[in-house]
Amino acid sequence: MAKPMTKTQLVAALAEDMGTDKKSATAALEAVCNVITREVTAGGAVTLPGVGKIYCRERPEREVRNPATGDKLVKEADKVVKMTIAKALKDSVNG
């Protein structure tokens, strides 16, 4: 398994693809991340064409077990961020 791309590597790749400097690429990446964070926090979803859909889902209250002691606890309802991967990306990885 390859190592994940770091933010610095991502910014460098964006700058090269955009034909611009790293400062502009960093600003673009941060702007996209801020928009996604703001939208998902507000309960919406963001679709990145060809990549997938990022959304927030509510989990109900449930019973969990402490693996160290075996005690059963009730975990309160919470929210979790999910991502559904687009078929185009799945096909490009598998094809």
Side-chain angles (χ1 to χ4, degrees), residues 38-45 56:
R38 187 173 55 241
E39 187 64 26
V40 172
T41 301
C56 184

Side-chain angles (χ1 to χ4, degrees), residues 11-89:
V11 166
L14 280 173
E16 184 178 325
D17 282 1
M18 292 170 51
T20 186
D21 60 343
K22 290 181 183 179
K23 187 175 182 180
S24 298
T26 301
L29 178 61
E30 288 177 2
V32 169
C33 290
N34 289 339
V35 168
I36 292 170
T37 301
R38 187 173 55 241
E39 187 64 26
V40 172
T41 301
V46 176
T47 300
L48 300 172
V51 177
K53 179 179 177 183
I54 302 171
Y55 58 96
C56 184
R57 184 176 77 78
E58 291 188 18
R59 286 196 292 195
E61 184 178 274
R62 62 197 186 280
E63 193 173 273
V64 296
R65 188 179 64 83
N66 181 340
T69 63
D71 294 340
K72 291 186 178 183
L73 307 168
V74 175
K75 184 168 182 186
E76 295 180 15
D78 61 351
K79 295 179 181 179
V80 62
V81 176
K82 294 284 195 175
M83 181 167 184
T84 303
I85 305 302
K87 185 176 184 321
L89 181 57

Side-chain angles (χ1 to χ4, degrees), residues 3-13 29:
K3 292 174 70 175
M5 184 181 269
T6 65
K7 181 179 177 182
T8 304
Q9 293 168 332
L10 180 58
V11 166
L29 178 61

